[in-house]
Amino acid sequence: MAVYTQLGPQQVDTLLAHYDVGKLVALKGIAEGVENSNFFVQTTQSRFILTLYENRVNPDDLPFFYALLKHLHDAGCKVPQFITDRDGQWLQTIAGRPACLIEFLDGVSVTEPTEAQAHSTGAALGHMHQALADFTLSRPNSLGVSAWRPLASRCTVEGLESIATGLSARVFAECDYLEAYWPTDLPVAAIHADLFPDNVLMLGDNVSGLIDFYFACSEVRAYDLAVTHSAWCFSNDGTAFDAEVSAGLLSGYADYLPLDTATREALPILLRGACLRFLLTRCYDWINTPANALVTRKDPLAFLRRLDFYSDGRHVENMLGHYT
Amino acid sequence: MAVYTQLGPQQVDTLLAHYDVGKLVALKGIAEGVENSNFFVQTTQSRFILTLYENRVNPDDLPFFYALLKHLHDAGCKVPQFITDRDGQWLQTIAGRPACLIEFLDGVSVTEPTEAQAHSTGAALGHMHQALADFTLSRPNSLGVSAWRPLASRCTVEGLESIATGLSARVFAECDYLEAYWPTDLPVAAIHADLFPDNVLMLGDNVSGLIDFYFACSEVRAYDLAVTHSAWCFSNDGTAFDAEVSAGLLSGYADYLPLDTATREALPILLRGACLRFLLTRCYDWINTPANALVTRKDPLAFLRRLDFYSDGRHVENMLGHYT
């Protein structure tokens, strides 16, 4: 949740005057995303999200995100569009910050997904990956396998041990393992990289939108499936694996892209990598966020528990049994 | 700004099933008010605000707020309505908290009001006061004149001096003065008590809604005009008085309720009281909010500067000259 910048309606009126979208009738700061300031904008014609990019998004990356969403939209994927003004500009400046007016998509983020909703999400992910096969722009993954050891070092042994005894040794051993076995023979493409339930809008059992592409990057494509799997198929605290949600997600994905032998063989590694990535960023935030701050710190151990689950080869075998 | 409680769409679906308002299609936490958790709710039929009352609102006060808004609505004032469900219930429980589904009003809160906007606001305030002449429920003002000295004491001399040298003596002298001269011969009625620009929705120069009645209480009616005047007629930091905005506000109000001799004579005291009330609550929050917290502390001295302005009798005479 975030609204870092305060906006007055006069500033938004001035912005909207560049567009053919009608007059402003409502403006509310919304608690969405953790990287940007977001506003709900209702005009006499339609609804929008106005996003102001704060320090954590590099404005140089915005053309990549714009092109990615346009490509996906043109391919029939349900993603929000950056709106262009009368001069064809989609990148604006407001309150001194880069800002974009973005299509508002109906839909709600589920907190306890069903198998049917996981199936739709897997299908939307597969459809997106299929559509991105001919997308040519690239963006490095600053949170990929080569970033995990330096991130663990920045957490410090002391910091990691303050979260759980033995966590430091576990994390560095996992870095050793993943660096040694990370797949190099799988397709690399643009991926979402953060497709938690928060970032999927649904109407009933159907996906109405994939949102928040600000971690999107070039990466082993099946890693995106691994991130999504780790994000969708467990109770929040990571203690309970949901085999039905897992089956739904995988079968939805396989409707678009088959889980071929190379992918199936790499998935145990990719799933562990996904867990380590979120474990480490959550550790870093945990160590560097005061306990009395108003932002909610997310429990790092929720992803250590997932890592434990995936590290047992039989679990992944069971999940994938259907596809062999 | 606030969203303290997280809500899943299933919880909102369950709530909406009691109402004839259509199905949920969008749900966003919004940064509105400082007392409650607020959500923008879009259904297939309409838009709403869903408010969850957190600790700072006493649920026992909700029937007063409900009755007040219904009374105002029935009298043609532009205020949001609490929506009743099929059983006539407007008070619900969600996530363990008292909650109300409330009409969404279009309009935006201006940050730099014009004279015309201040005129509309004064008129809306006067209309509201006129409409409340026959409203019979009452609620004590926990932030009225008798509360200021105890509040100053809770700030402590040390705390007040840490904000500005000499502030403690000034504050207690002001308590002496206001307790001695607070008017007892003016009409007492239900008032809004917090009509800052944030709490007025406008479309162009017209008021489309008065919102956030959670400080509403029984008080000297003209004190509401004083609060609104202190909130609207200065630059945020209190250094610059805007005579045109002041003239607009007063003349709009006088369109509904004349500024009679008793009111005009009491206004210098009421205006100083309004300043002391916000000065003290801001001091208290300043002293009790860590400097590194993510909530923005509002500058107490912005209301000390207003107090200085109103304490010069000539300023108030000039403002009111037109009405004598």
Side-chain angles (χ1 to χ4, degrees):
Chain A
M1 104 172 219
V3 177
Y4 298 104
T5 301
Q6 301 294 318
L7 268 195
Q10 293 92 334
Q11 290 165 291
V12 180
D13 279 337
T14 304
L15 181 84
L16 294 183
H18 295 281
Y19 291 82
D20 289 316
V21 295
K23 293 269 180 197
L24 183 66
V25 294
L27 173 67
K28 309 275 182 200
I30 60 174
E32 188 148 287
V34 291
E35 306 285 316
N36 311 314
S37 298
N38 287 293
F39 297 85
F40 168 72
V41 170
Q42 170 90 48
T43 71
T44 44
Q45 287 179 21
S46 193
R47 285 174 286 149
F48 304 93
I49 300 287
L50 175 61
T51 299
L52 275 62
Y53 298 95
E54 305 289 347
N55 296 332
R56 289 178 67 174
V57 170
N58 181 346
D60 294 343
D61 287 332
L62 289 172
F64 173 83
F65 301 136
Y66 169 78
L68 182 70
L69 290 173
K70 185 166 189 329
H71 188 95
L72 288 171
H73 174 79
D74 292 348
C77 295
K78 288 173 176 157
V79 296
Q81 291 299 285
F82 289 59
I83 312 292
T84 50
D85 69 12
R86 274 189 222 97
D87 301 325
Q89 296 296 314
W90 52 270
L91 181 57
Q92 313 288 347
T93 300
I94 189 167
R97 285 163 179 75
C100 293
L101 190 68
I102 299 172
E103 184 184 8
F104 183 100
L105 296 179
D106 277 342
V108 294
S109 300
V110 298
T111 46
E112 293 167 36
T114 63
E115 181 173 355
Q117 290 167 334
H119 187 280
S120 299
T121 300
L125 182 67
H127 185 190
M128 184 181 90
H129 285 177
Q130 202 177 61
L132 290 174
D134 61 348
F135 180 71
T136 52
L137 296 186
S138 71
R139 176 175 180 256
N141 182 7
S142 61
L143 292 169
V145 61
S146 64
W148 298 335
R149 187 183 300 275
L151 182 53
S153 299
R154 288 210 304 281
C155 289
T156 75
V157 170
E158 210 173 31
L160 293 169
E161 291 303 302
S162 75
I163 293 171
T165 305
L167 183 58
S168 174
R170 176 74 193 277
V171 155
F172 284 103
E174 196 67 25
C175 288
D176 293 342
Y177 178 82
L178 293 173
E179 286 168 8
Y181 294 104
W182 196 251
T184 53
D185 56 345
L186 287 176
V188 169
I191 67 166
H192 184 287
D194 192 37
L195 201 61
F196 278 66
D198 277 2
N199 293 333
V200 178
L201 298 176
M202 311 207 74
L203 290 169
D205 290 342
N206 302 311
V207 172
S208 57
L210 306 179
I211 60 172
D212 206 346
F213 280 78
Y214 301 107
F215 286 104
C217 57
S218 311
E219 185 49 271
V220 172
R221 189 172 64 193
Y223 174 69
D224 216 9
L225 177 61
V227 166
T228 309
H229 194 275
S230 71
W232 280 72
C233 304
F234 295 83
S235 59
N236 254 340
D237 66 0
T239 54
F241 173 69
D242 189 324
E244 290 183 358
V245 167
S246 168
L249 186 77
L250 293 172
S251 74
Y253 188 81
D255 287 349
Y256 281 88
L257 288 172
L259 295 175
D260 57 29
T261 309
T263 303
R264 288 199 311 275
E265 284 176 1
L267 261 177
I269 314 291
L270 299 171
L271 289 160
R272 288 170 65 163
C275 294
L276 187 63
R277 175 256 186 265
F278 290 102
L279 171 59
L280 283 172
T281 50
R282 287 185 175 198
C283 282
Y284 185 83
D285 290 343
W286 190 270
I287 294 162
N288 293 287
T289 305
N292 64 353
L294 284 184
V295 285
T296 311
R297 303 189 299 181
K298 291 179 180 166
D299 180 15
L301 300 181
F303 273 84
L304 181 62
R305 296 183 194 109
R306 287 163 165 86
L307 179 59
D308 286 341
F309 178 90
Y310 292 130
S311 297
D312 182 334
R314 292 165 303 178
H315 289 153
V316 183
E317 253 174 59
N318 285 341
M319 270 163 44
L320 294 175
H322 178 68
Y323 298 95
T324 53
Chain B
M1 97 170 225
V3 178
Y4 298 104
T5 303
Q6 302 292 317
L7 269 196
Q10 294 93 332
Q11 291 165 288
V12 180
D13 279 338
T14 304
L15 181 85
L16 294 183
H18 295 281
Y19 291 82
D20 290 316
V21 296
K23 295 266 182 202
L24 183 66
V25 295
L27 173 68
K28 308 276 182 202
I30 60 175
E32 186 146 290
V34 291
E35 307 285 315
N36 310 313
S37 297
N38 288 293
F39 297 85
F40 168 71
V41 169
Q42 171 92 46
T43 72
T44 45
Q45 286 180 21
S46 193
R47 286 174 284 149
F48 303 94
I49 300 289
L50 175 60
T51 299
L52 276 60
Y53 297 95
E54 305 289 348
N55 296 332
R56 288 179 66 175
V57 170
N58 181 347
D60 295 342
D61 287 333
L62 290 171
F64 173 83
F65 301 137
Y66 170 78
L68 183 70
L69 290 173
K70 183 163 188 333
H71 187 95
L72 289 171
H73 176 78
D74 292 347
C77 294
K78 288 174 177 157
V79 297
Q81 291 299 284
F82 288 60
I83 313 292
T84 51
D85 69 14
R86 276 189 221 94
D87 300 324
Q89 297 294 317
W90 53 269
L91 180 57
Q92 313 287 348
T93 300
I94 190 166
R97 284 166 179 74
C100 294
L101 190 67
I102 298 171
E103 184 186 7
F104 183 99
L105 296 180
D106 278 343
V108 295
S109 300
V110 298
T111 47
E112 293 167 34
T114 62
E115 181 173 355
Q117 290 167 334
H119 187 280
S120 299
T121 299
L125 183 66
H127 186 192
M128 184 182 91
H129 284 177
Q130 202 177 62
L132 289 174
D134 61 348
F135 181 71
T136 53
L137 296 186
S138 71
R139 176 175 181 256
N141 182 7
S142 62
L143 291 169
V145 60
S146 63
W148 297 336
R149 187 183 300 273
L151 182 53
S153 298
R154 289 210 304 282
C155 288
T156 75
V157 169
E158 211 173 29
L160 292 170
E161 292 302 303
S162 76
I163 294 170
T165 304
L167 183 57
S168 174
R170 177 74 194 277
V171 155
F172 283 105
E174 196 67 23
C175 289
D176 293 341
Y177 179 81
L178 293 173
E179 286 168 8
Y181 294 104
W182 196 250
T184 54
D185 56 345
L186 287 177
V188 169
I191 67 166
H192 184 287
D194 192 38
L195 201 62
F196 277 66
D198 277 3
N199 292 332
V200 178
L201 299 176
M202 310 205 76
L203 290 169
D205 290 341
N206 302 312
V207 171
S208 57
L210 305 180
I211 61 171
D212 206 346
F213 280 78
Y214 301 107
F215 286 105
C217 58
S218 310
E219 185 50 271
V220 171
R221 189 172 67 194
Y223 174 69
D224 217 10
L225 177 61
V227 166
T228 309
H229 194 275
S230 72
W232 281 72
C233 303
F234 295 82
S235 58
N236 255 339
D237 67 0
T239 53
F241 173 70
D242 189 323
E244 289 182 359
V245 167
S246 168
L249 186 75
L250 294 173
S251 73
Y253 189 80
D255 287 350
Y256 282 87
L257 287 172
L259 295 175
D260 57 28
T261 309
T263 303
R264 289 199 312 274
E265 284 176 3
L267 263 176
I269 313 291
L270 298 171
L271 289 161
R272 287 170 66 165
C275 294
L276 186 63
R277 175 256 186 263
F278 290 102
L279 171 59
L280 283 172
T281 51
R282 287 186 174 196
C283 282
Y284 185 83
D285 290 345
W286 191 270
I287 294 162
N288 293 287
T289 305
N292 64 352
L294 283 184
V295 284
T296 310
R297 303 189 298 180
K298 291 178 180 168
D299 180 13
L301 300 182
F303 273 84
L304 181 62
R305 293 183 198 110
R306 287 163 166 88
L307 179 58
D308 286 341
F309 178 89
Y310 291 131
S311 298
D312 184 334
R314 290 165 303 177
H315 289 151
V316 184
E317 252 174 61
N318 284 342
M319 270 163 46
L320 294 175
H322 179 66
Y323 298 95
T324 53

